[in-house]
Structures are given as structure tokens and as C-alpha cells.
Amino acid sequence: MAADSGGAGQPAGATRDAAVEREPLLLEAVVGVGADLELRATLQHLVEAATRLTDARYGALGVVDPDRSEGPRLTELFTVGMDEAARARIGRLPCGDKGLLGVLIRDPRPLRVDDLTADPRSCGMPQDHPPMHSFIGVPVLVRDEVFGNLYLTEKRGGPFTAEDERLIRILAAQAGIAIGNALLFENARQRERWIEGAAAVTTALLSGARSDDPLLVVAEQARLLADAAAGVILQPTEEGGMEIVTASTHGDPAALVGTTITPGSPVLEQLLGGEPVFVGDSATDPRMTTPVSSRFGPSMLLPLQSGGRLIGTLALPRSRGTRGYTPVERQLATQFASQAALALVLADARRGRERLAVFEDRDRIARDLHDLVVQRLFATGMMLESTQRRAGAPEVDTAIGRAVDELESTIQEVRTAIFALQQPPADAPTSLRGKVLKEAAGAAALLGVTPSTQFKGAVDSRVQEPVAGQLLAALRHALAATSRRSAVSEIRVTVDADAQLPDGRPGLRLTVYDDGGGEGTTAASQWPL
């Protein structure tokens, strides 16, 4: 009777008996592997079942990423036989492109070796790695594609046999089905999460609820969905590069905001062209040239574009040493970016309509003030002036004169309010009138008194730079001096573009009066026009 070539010289009958004895173990292993729909739990069950089935001391399942540009590499490793401390001493995950691990990746067929140290294809073990001699490796196929490789070493009692190989091949085949089901379940859950996340972003941006930074809403939701270390938004710069304008991260976002991608970067060219960029390791990829890229590992950079318009880029980097993004995660993140870009465009349009509605309302109020209030005040002033000419008593003349002066001052105040209402509500003022009003309003918070502001003449059309800048600087200086005086209850700012200089030339005069210090103080400055 012939001896089994892999049975260490045992009779064939004894080998068959041993195989029969292990059939229940195989059945138990198959059932155990297929009992869980959680992908990571299924993979760990597979390694544990394989080590029990073959009586191996160590076992590992390496997940292969076939989509890497530099070739297939291991992205995750599930192990049995080594605790966390031992794994930490060994260091980072093996690449899988060298030695027997690389052989299995390049040629996914069962591989059995009696002594690793004597095999010329072996590249040795890393420092602090346990000694290993006997080895068996079997590919795990999911729908005819290599999902990963199962590695077993150090069989107790001798090298691995042909029967061990047969059992592991059966287990790997059945595990491929279980892993395929777990992948479908995992992908379905991921799709559900990303769809719900995209809906949450759209709702937050379009529901009318106030959001100080819509871009931060997108970055934070994407970071949570992708299980990333950070979620950042980059926008094009005037120089042709891109700059991080907002960030969501566990650490300090300010450490990322302001980082730029310089013009001419290969990554930038792809992003500006509307193409997503997937990076296996940001710290080592030569395309990643930003100063912060050394902090991160796997990354996705996804263009935010809608209707051919590029709004910016959504970047989702993971920490160094963590698993890379799967093809499904890349697809879902790309779809999320497209939906988020559309939501940002719609939200911006909604805010534009709201600003327009506010502006139109303010314009209506300004027209009503001008057409009703100012005209009535002006008519009342004319009546008082006419009455003053007919009045005889000096005290009556004085009282009417004060009333006329107050009406003229009120008319100036109302006209100033009309002008302020006509300014775009969310924009920085561009005219000199608007800038003067902004300085006066800003000083009110410090002074506790709102300055009254009057304009005489065609201030905006007659006053140009650099005189306008000099006037604003003098106004700030005068208001700062006012803040240092006590008991200030009234401040009057007058900008007169019809003033005449002492030498007779037309000029611009700024007068700032306050009643502080008990006697009142007037600061005046003037410039030729």
C-alpha cells in the first residue's frame, strides 16, 4: 500500500482514517465561518477555523487590494497566535509584494512549504517576528476574484500534509461564499449610510436653518461617513492653486486651514479637470506635496462640481497605518461629493434669493422714508420758516429757529438712514458714505453712543483716493480720542464735500464733535479737492 506523499510516511489507510476524523471539524469550520454577516467577524472566524482544522500555531488572512496603481498589495491582516504586543513589536503591516506572500499574490494558487528558512523564494522574517518553518498558503476567491490569501504556519507535529491542503482549499472555497455574502451586506449598509448622510447634508443646507459655514457641514458629514481622520474642503486660489478653507478633524482644524496645493501639481491638474484622486499613502506618494500630507495615510480627493462648475475639492485622509479605501467606498464618496456640490449650489442660490428679498424690503422702506417722512419734515420746516418771518416776539423767533434747526438735522439723519438701508445687507461698503457709516457704527459698540452722521455735497463722486483713505484714518483717530473722554452722550460726524479752504480752493472737511469733558470737543480736518 503506497504512502501519502504529504502524510509523513503514514500508510494510506491511516491517512484516510485521519481525514475522516477531521470531516466533522471541517463541517464545523464551514458552518462557523458562514454564521456571521459581519465582514470583519467572518474573516476572523475563517483564520481561527483554519488554524484549528490544521493544528497550526499561527494563522493569518491578508486582504488584497487589486486596484493599487503599483500593483496588488495587502491592506489588512487578520491573525491568530500573536497577541497585540507581539504584533506591535513586529511593526507595520507587510506589503505582501516580496517573499512567499508576494508569490501567492502574483500567482494565486495553493502553496505548501516544509521549511520557510530553506526556500529560496522566502525573504526572511522581520525583526521580533516569531520563528516559522512549515507554511501553507491558499487564495480566497470571491466571485472568481482574489479577495485575499490564507496563511498558516508552524503545524504542530510536523510539516503540513496534502490532506491539510485539501481541507484548507475546501474551507477557503466555502469561506469565499460567506465572505461574498458578508461583502454584499457590508456594501448595502455602507450605501444606506452614505445615502442617509447625503440626505442629511441636503436637508441641513436647504431647510432654511442658519449655517455659518455650509462647507463645514459637508466636510464634517463626509469625515464621519468615511471614517476619516479629517474632512477638508479646498477651493481654487487666484494664483491657480487650491487652498484648504475649512476642516473637520479630531485635532485642531486651524493646523490644516490655509494649507495650499501649488499650481502645476499633478494632483491639482486632475482635480481641476474634474477627476477624483485616490492615494494609497499620502506620506509617501510623490504627488502629495502639501506640508500636512506626511500626517496622513490613505486619502480621497473628490471634486465638488455641479453643472460643469467646480466649487472646490473634498479631501478625506485617513490616519497613517489604517486600512485603505475600498472600491465601494470610493464610489460612494464620489457620489456623495456630486450630491453635496449640488446642495451647495442650491443653498447658495437660496441665500442669494433671501439677500435679494431683504434688499428689496430695505429699498421699499427707504423709498417710504424718502417719499413720506422726509417730504413731511421738509414741509413742516417750510411752514415754520414762514411763521418765523411773521412772528414778532424775540423769544418766539428763537424757539422757531431752534425747531427749524432740529428739523434740518432730523432730515439729515433720515437721509443717512435711507442711504444705509440701500447698502447691500451682507456686503462690505464700497462707497465713501458707506465706509464712514461703517466706521461710525463700529465705534458705537466701544463708545456706548451711536454717532449721528451728516453728509453735505456729492461726497461719493467728488472724493477719490487717496483723500478718502486719509479722511477715514482721521475719523478713526477722532473717534478713538472721543472714547478717552468721560460723560460723552452725543457725537456728531459731518463730512462736507462743499467746503471752502482758507485759501479759497474747494475742499473736503471732516468735523467730529462730542460733548465729553463738560465743555465739548470738536476735531476738524480738511483736504483740497
Side-chain angles (χ1 to χ4, degrees), residues 149-324:
N149 291 310
L150 183 60
Y151 313 113
L152 301 168
T153 62
E154 289 299 282
K155 178 180 173 65
R156 296 178 178 89
F160 291 100
T161 66
E163 181 61 22
D164 291 324
E165 180 180 326
R166 184 184 74 85
L167 294 175
I168 291 302
R169 292 179 67 175
I170 295 173
L171 178 61
Q174 295 301 315
I177 299 174
I179 292 172
N181 293 334
L183 282 172
L184 290 175
F185 180 71
E186 179 77 11
N187 294 345
R189 288 203 311 176
Q190 284 186 340
R191 291 181 188 279
E192 182 179 1
R193 288 180 59 247
W194 281 93
I195 290 172
E196 290 177 353
V201 167
T202 303
T203 301
L205 296 181
L206 301 182
S207 63
R210 290 291 177 185
S211 174
D212 294 334
D213 190 351
L215 295 178
L216 183 59
V217 173
V218 174
E220 186 167 3
Q221 185 66 254
R223 176 181 66 83
L224 296 174
L225 290 171
D227 192 23
V232 302
I233 302 290
L234 301 95
Q235 289 189 320
T237 63
E238 295 181 357
E239 295 78 15
M242 273 196 173
E243 179 182 3
I244 296 179
V245 296
T246 191
S248 169
T249 178
H250 298 296
D252 181 13
L256 300 177
V257 174
T259 302
T260 59
I261 301 178
T262 56
S265 167
V267 167
L268 186 62
E269 293 178 3
Q270 283 186 254
L271 293 174
L272 293 177
E275 299 179 21
V277 177
F278 304 107
V279 178
D281 187 355
S282 299
T284 58
D285 195 306
R287 298 175 297 172
M288 304 297 287
T289 57
T290 60
V292 299
S293 59
S294 59
R295 308 179 191 175
F296 302 110
S299 299
M300 294 189 289
L301 294 92
L302 312 167
L304 294 170
Q305 57 181 356
S306 178
R309 173 191 170 196
L310 182 66
I311 302 172
T313 293
L314 170 63
L316 298 169
R318 282 178 172 165
S319 301
R320 295 209 67 187
T322 56
R323 65 181 181 87

Side-chain angles (χ1 to χ4, degrees), residues 53-99:
L53 188 61
T54 59
D55 199 21
R57 186 183 301 276
Y58 303 106
L61 174 66
V63 180
V64 177
D65 179 7
D67 295 327
R68 294 175 65 100
S69 58
E70 65 271 26
R73 302 282 290 275
L74 294 182
T75 59
E76 280 192 280
L77 197 66
F78 296 83
T79 62
V80 170
M82 284 190 289
D83 56 21
E84 291 299 325
R87 290 191 61 171
R89 287 195 301 270
I90 294 173
R92 65 184 184 89
L93 180 74
C95 298
D97 57 344
K98 298 178 181 178

Side-chain angles (χ1 to χ4, degrees), residues 385-398:
E385 287 180 350
S386 176
T387 303
Q388 186 181 26
R389 287 194 292 269
R390 295 195 301 271
E395 60 274 14
V396 175
D397 287 347
T398 302

Side-chain angles (χ1 to χ4, degrees), residues 486-487 515-520:
S486 60
D515 61 354
E519 298 181 356

